[in-house]
Amino acid sequence: MSGRSHEEGLKDLTLLGNQHTQYSFEYAPEVLEAVDNLHSNRDYFVKFNCPEFTSLCPMTHQPDFATMYISYVPDQKLVESKSLKLYLFSFRNHGDFHEDCVNIIMNDLIQLLDPRYIEVWGKFTPRGGLSIDPWCNYGKPGTKYEEMAHFRLMNHDLYPEKIDNR
Amino acid sequence: MSGRSHEEGLKDLTLLGNQHTQYSFEYAPEVLEAVDNLHSNRDYFVKFNCPEFTSLCPMTHQPDFATMYISYVPDQKLVESKSLKLYLFSFRNHGDFHEDCVNIIMNDLIQLLDPRYIEVWGKFTPRGGLSIDPWCNYGKPGTKYEEMAHFRLMNHDLYPEKIDNR
Amino acid sequence: MSGRSHEEGLKDLTLLGNQHTQYSFEYAPEVLEAVDNLHSNRDYFVKFNCPEFTSLCPMTHQPDFATMYISYVPDQKLVESKSLKLYLFSFRNHGDFHEDCVNIIMNDLIQLLDPRYIEVWGKFTPRGGLSIDPWCNYGKPGTKYEEMAHFRLMNHDLYPEKIDNR
Amino acid sequence: MSGRSHEEGLKDLTLLGNQHTQYSFEYAPEVLEAVDNLHSNRDYFVKFNCPEFTSLCPMTHQPDFATMYISYVPDQKLVESKSLKLYLFSFRNHGDFHEDCVNIIMNDLIQLLDPRYIEVWGKFTPRGGLSIDPWCNYGKPGTKYEEMAHFRLMNHDLYPEKIDNR
Amino acid sequence: MSGRSHEEGLKDLTLLGNQHTQYSFEYAPEVLEAVDNLHSNRDYFVKFNCPEFTSLCPMTHQPDFATMYISYVPDQKLVESKSLKLYLFSFRNHGDFHEDCVNIIMNDLIQLLDPRYIEVWGKFTPRGGLSIDPWCNYGKPGTKYEEMAHFRLMNHDLYPEKIDNR
Amino acid sequence: MSGRSHEEGLKDLTLLGNQHTQYSFEYAPEVLEAVDNLHSNRDYFVKFNCPEFTSLCPMTHQPDFATMYISYVPDQKLVESKSLKLYLFSFRNHGDFHEDCVNIIMNDLIQLLDPRYIEVWGKFTPRGGLSIDPWCNYGKPGTKYEEMAHFRLMNHDLYPEKIDNR
Amino acid sequence: MSGRSHEEGLKDLTLLGNQHTQYSFEYAPEVLEAVDNLHSNRDYFVKFNCPEFTSLCPMTHQPDFATMYISYVPDQKLVESKSLKLYLFSFRNHGDFHEDCVNIIMNDLIQLLDPRYIEVWGKFTPRGGLSIDPWCNYGKPGTKYEEMAHFRLMNHDLYPEKIDNR
Amino acid sequence: MSGRSHEEGLKDLTLLGNQHTQYSFEYAPEVLEAVDNLHSNRDYFVKFNCPEFTSLCPMTHQPDFATMYISYVPDQKLVESKSLKLYLFSFRNHGDFHEDCVNIIMNDLIQLLDPRYIEVWGKFTPRGGLSIDPWCNYGKPGTKYEEMAHFRLMNHDLYPEKIDNR
Amino acid sequence: MSGRSHEEGLKDLTLLGNQHTQYSFEYAPEVLEAVDNLHSNRDYFVKFNCPEFTSLCPMTHQPDFATMYISYVPDQKLVESKSLKLYLFSFRNHGDFHEDCVNIIMNDLIQLLDPRYIEVWGKFTPRGGLSIDPWCNYGKPGTKYEEMAHFRLMNHDLYPEKIDNR
Amino acid sequence: MSGRSHEEGLKDLTLLGNQHTQYSFEYAPEVLEAVDNLHSNRDYFVKFNCPEFTSLCPMTHQPDFATMYISYVPDQKLVESKSLKLYLFSFRNHGDFHEDCVNIIMNDLIQLLDPRYIEVWGKFTPRGGLSIDPWCNYGKPGTKYEEMAHFRLMNHDLYPEKIDNR
Ligand SMILES: [Ca+2]
Ligand SMILES: [Ca+2]
Ligand SMILES: [Ca+2]
Ligand SMILES: [Ca+2]
Ligand SMILES: [Ca+2]
Ligand SMILES: [Ca+2]
Ligand SMILES: [Ca+2]
Ligand SMILES: [Ca+2]
Ligand SMILES: [Ca+2]
Ligand SMILES: [Ca+2]
Ligand SMILES: [Ca+2]
Ligand SMILES: [Ca+2]
Ligand SMILES: [Ca+2]
Ligand SMILES: [Ca+2]
Ligand SMILES: [Ca+2]
Ligand SMILES: [Ca+2]
């Protein structure tokens, strides 16, 4: 089987293919791991669809649920998908407002990857008949990606999806 | 449990976690409450999906129903979600045209939050075979968000959703 | 214009075509009105789709929202649609459990119409992440419609609709 | 081109292929025409989907709109589709209750075709937030199709379609 | 009940709340009525969804059906919704090409409202397997809304909806 | 590669894997071919979804389009899929009423396969605003499949799909 | 406000309207509470839609997610919805196979309610490209509901929903 | 009946309202006809949805199927819809690659109409598991519509529709 | 963590939680493993949704793709999900007709589990414009499940899903 | 049959219409073939929808599945569709990360076609609850298409599709 080899970044991974994974359900940004981006000569997007996100409400300690969409233009590093899964698991018993969760996730990925561009959208299920969908983004300061971040903010969500709480 | 602490704005909330909430069904903008925005260093969007809005027709006093979509870029304050719920409940026995409702909601949130940018879209159910969907927006005057408001008006709803009254 | 004439039951209607309708938002079964069924020689179904039902929670006094589906086989009487609308409006400030609402609506229509068969399905929006959909039915005792009621109970909702609270 | 020939019932048609069709917008059951059923040796269904039905409200003279579904098991005759179109057009300025329209359409087709079995379902758009969907059926008396009519009444619409008036 | 008062434009309305409405089914632009826009200090959109539009083909006199989407940025006036309903009813026995209907509707609303911006989209049902969806727009000449009209023409319908004639 | 071998019915196929296929666009039931059913010890269903069916109207010679659903319980033979494709192609310049097409297709497959049970459903696109969906079925006379055919006729299409001609 | 009163079962509830709820994330069937069924004179269904169910895999301790559909015909008791929410929360850190979860939930509700009939369907998200949807049901032994349980098993899920793991 | 009159371009039409239409199934651009654009004072779009397009593969002579979307900004002429239908029929026995068909259709309409702007999108059904969707556009050279064509190319299909070949 | 313990069947599993899984892409029924059914006192259904099935065409060796739905009523054994995944993987380079694949899968699971009832439905992607969806089922001979198998065959797929090959 | 002739690029094709195709399941970019673009005088898009892509995970050797969307503006060459199918087949036993697959496919098509513009989007099914959708694009360096590539990156996927892993 040809394809990406150990020389191209697989040998450093501790999680993918490791059977005896430990799961932390307390906020654990340290589980995040990166692999080399083999295509850093070009700008391209990678999107993660994460419909199984759950955290706790900081006031009531009641579970919250969301679909997280994480999308970025990598620079030298890609986030390894199994480590991202474990990182998102670690919010399971963590309490924060919806607006805080998306900002924290984006901050941690900026720290890990130093990406050219990144955005995170959390779409939560309703409490009391209202649902909240915070969205944040970031472009590397002083580069064209900073302008790209403003451009995408300007154009964000002109077409809110149809919601009926069912 | 880690996360947003009382020091970060939770202690001032009167509603969230208060069991003996009183519900007003007369227009009551005073119930709106705000919490600190912990991420005011960046622009980001918060959207509320509100499919359970109801008010009265000012002419016939007949109930109207809508889904309200409220989306904003916070400055120093976030609207607290339980207070927003109570505020929207307070239209229950209030009479106004559809076009007025969305403008009033936006005005009250501008007063509460002094947001960088905000928009409100009401999608009402039909009366006499016609349905009405008013949309308004606002950017803080004299800032780039004012231009953003015009830009989003220019691009508003180029793809009206399919409607068949069923 | 041909069609159903005043002789065929229109002349007794007090509501349809009456502009100065008064709306009660307290439970008011007395507003229900009936018209003659011109086709009582055959069994047939009439279904009302009512996506604008709202009532209050008897414990918290918080608004609840539902789509009500009312379906019946008439005997000598049809329910007049504008009176049904007013009747459903009258739950607006009334408090009852979801399970009670559908049973009460069915009881009132049985009283009004003495139908051969009737069923009522309420599909409510979620509270605390759960939504409740009670369904009741009735066949005139001692007739084949009583068996029909049991048959339809046996076959009820083998395919629950997909729900994700969004 | 092979296929159904003039000998097999085409020669008697006055409408299909007649360019100078006159349209009546007053109830005109006499425009209905039939062709021979070439497969009367077997039971089979023919369904017409008619999403462009419009009539008037007998009280307010306001236009009503519906999708009509007409489905039958032919005996010796099929209804010719262009004549059915003209017949349905003829309700355009006719006033009747929704419950009456479906019964009248079925009665006229029974008279024309003497079918083994037939059913008609009208799904109307809402007035005052309520929509009405009457459904009637018929099996030739004294045959197994009469039992079939009762069986299908028993099983009718256990899964009401989702309605939100939009 | 608070809200929009008679002093704010309700007292001049002749239709809303008038039970004895006469319906014209011949083109009648004179039925259109306007109310004051209480929010003329800002630009905002009002959209009407009109899925019950019907007219006649000018060549064959056969009924046509469409959903009309009318969207505008008001200046000093709003179109009153019941008068718009009656105006659209008045095409019922009127014959014109699809392309003409949308232009005529827009012309009449420009005459009534002198709006800042307006657009009309008609989505018709198919004849002979083809359906036609004309779209026109307008910005007040010599203002920024004229540029907005060109901008929206440039961006019109880059994503045609999926059509299969069923 | 293991699996069905030439000994199990592949060697007689003239079409599958034959590059120089000739396409007939005149009705050609003779192109149908069968392979052995390796599982005739049990009853099971095979369904073909055929959304690319087209024929001509026998009166106007205008093209018609349909999705054909063919479903059967085989006895000793299966229809080979490429031959079925060619057979359906052969209606391309053939003229027949919709009701005739489904009956003819079923007759030809009964002749080819002598199946235990078979049914054919044609769902055509609209002409003049009406669409027609004929459905026929068959069970081998004198067997339990004959009863099955009646049972399925009784239960046919209690839930007509939503149609709006778009 | 009229409606269900304290005398009719509300006074015994410990959870609904109690602000200081404690959440257990370890399996806790003891939190379930019941209220009186005011309509035990008739058979009717109550369905709970629960799209926010999460548990752990007993082998890998990895989180699992499901939508649970719980539907029952009550006898003397209804399950109180807030207690059901807490009960489902208590699976959050509990490990069991999907097949076991649905059976355990049903067993606990049978113990609490002694219902006439009950069924539970869990629809889980995929692991390794496969998703599992166990469904169980129960009718009170020696009653007609036991036959109803067999009847519904016979008819269970003849139309599996379309799944593409996206 | 008022509306577009013979003086406004109807009298020159040879096809619409002509019963004895001949259908060519060989490529026949000469059947295209135009009518006057009564609104050439403004830019507006006309879109044709054509889900019944079929042609042949030039290599295998096997039928291909597509939905064609044709959208243009007229100058002095509109394409008459019945002639467009006949023109599209004429590809029925014509063989060309998918990429060629859309370009040929656009070329023929440019020749007929000299439009300000035009675009054609063909969405074909799959062969060998792949489907092909070519899209071309054109703006009158030396006008602002040429820039519009480039602008729309730049923005074309950023959101490919979901495809699963079913 | 409570729940299913090693004593209840987990200790015998060789695959779940074993990191160094070997994947066979040649038909390998021997990889299937079973666990104890802890609820054999009752009849219940377990469904596997398998949208990632792929095999080869026995004639052309071209890849085929399907969604497999496997649903059964267990007796003493459940199929372990990871072993089922590996088993389905083993068809990757195996060649068989669609009709054969579903029968083989069902035969192998009957051999492994001796279930009370089982059914398998394969929904394949189209080749040459046709798609094939074979469905087979089985009830333990001489038990009520054999009748159940016939009952479900009788009722199979009365509502074929909408297919357009896109 | 008129249309594209052998002189216009068909004669050089080795695959289309060649029955004895050999399928490679090891990465084989050499199977790609091109035909002449007959419309190189204009910019236009060609999109391939490829819902049947499968490869292996480089770490676990487990199969991955994706829908690939390939869209380009041709210069002098078009990719021949059968050769593209074979090329995509050749990933069947090839192992690479999702991010690598889309970049490799785009690189190979750039080498084959020297297109003006190209983009590739892979939408994979989830592993461990997460799915990954990488997207890359390219414009010919030093031309306006390079700017077009940046413009489309800026605008990429502002509306992530709804994902729930089912
Ligand atoms: Ca929803
Ligand atoms: Ca709708
Ligand atoms: Ca809630
Ligand atoms: Ca939903
Ligand atoms: Ca209405
Ligand atoms: Ca709807
Ligand atoms: Ca459609
Ligand atoms: Ca038509
Ligand atoms: Ca449709
Ligand atoms: Ca998976
Ligand atoms: Ca799906
Ligand atoms: Ca999904
Ligand atoms: Ca699809
Ligand atoms: Ca194909
Ligand atoms: Ca499809
Ligand atoms: Ca997964």
Side-chain angles (χ1 to χ4, degrees), chain B residues 25-160:
Chain B
F25 297 154
E26 292 297 332
Y27 174 61
E30 66 277 9
V31 299
L32 285 168
E33 293 190 0
V35 296
D36 288 345
N37 174 13
L38 303 185
H39 310 279
S40 63
N41 60 309
R42 75 165 54 105
D43 285 336
Y44 69 102
F45 264 101
V46 181
K47 177 173 60 170
F48 285 88
N49 304 293
C50 317
E52 300 179 355
F53 181 85
T54 180
S55 60
L56 299 182
C57 171
M59 289 299 282
T60 64
H61 298 188
Q62 189 168 184
D64 286 326
F65 292 86
T67 299
M68 286 284 165
Y69 300 89
I70 300 169
S71 197
Y72 69 107
V73 178
D75 194 0
Q76 299 306 317
K77 291 290 178 189
L78 299 174
V79 62
E80 193 278 321
S81 69
K82 189 170 179 186
S83 81
L84 179 60
K85 178 181 75 167
L86 295 179
Y87 169 68
L88 294 173
F89 280 1
S90 84
F91 282 81
R92 192 170 178 88
N93 291 333
H94 177 77
D96 246 329
F97 278 163
H98 301 345
E99 291 89 340
D100 295 332
C101 287
V102 299
N103 278 288
I104 289 168
I105 290 170
M106 191 170 78
N107 288 340
D108 288 336
L109 288 168
I110 289 169
Q111 173 121 354
L112 176 75
L113 301 173
D114 190 20
R116 295 176 186 164
Y117 174 81
I118 187 169
E119 70 191 27
V120 178
W121 200 345
K123 303 190 176 184
F124 287 80
T125 54
R127 292 295 171 257
L130 296 186
S131 58
I132 311 181
D133 296 354
W135 175 91
C136 58
N137 77 346
Y138 158 92
K140 201 176 284 197
T143 70
K144 69 178 176 179
Y145 307 102
E146 190 174 26
E147 289 160 41
M148 180 172 157
H150 180 61
F151 177 82
R152 289 174 74 89
L153 180 85
M154 295 260 296
N155 282 283
H156 174 65
D157 196 30
L158 290 158
Y159 298 91

Side-chain angles (χ1 to χ4, degrees), chain A residues 15-20 82, chain I residues 15-20 82:
Chain A
L15 294 164
L16 191 57
N18 180 344
Q19 182 63 20
H20 304 294
K82 189 171 178 185
Chain I
L15 294 163
L16 190 55
N18 179 343
Q19 181 63 25
H20 304 293
K82 190 171 177 185

Side-chain angles (χ1 to χ4, degrees), chain G residues 125-130 165, chain I residues 52, chain J residues 125-130:
Chain G
T125 53
R127 294 295 170 252
L130 297 186
N165 286 359
Chain I
E52 301 179 354
Chain J
T125 53
R127 293 294 171 255
L130 297 186

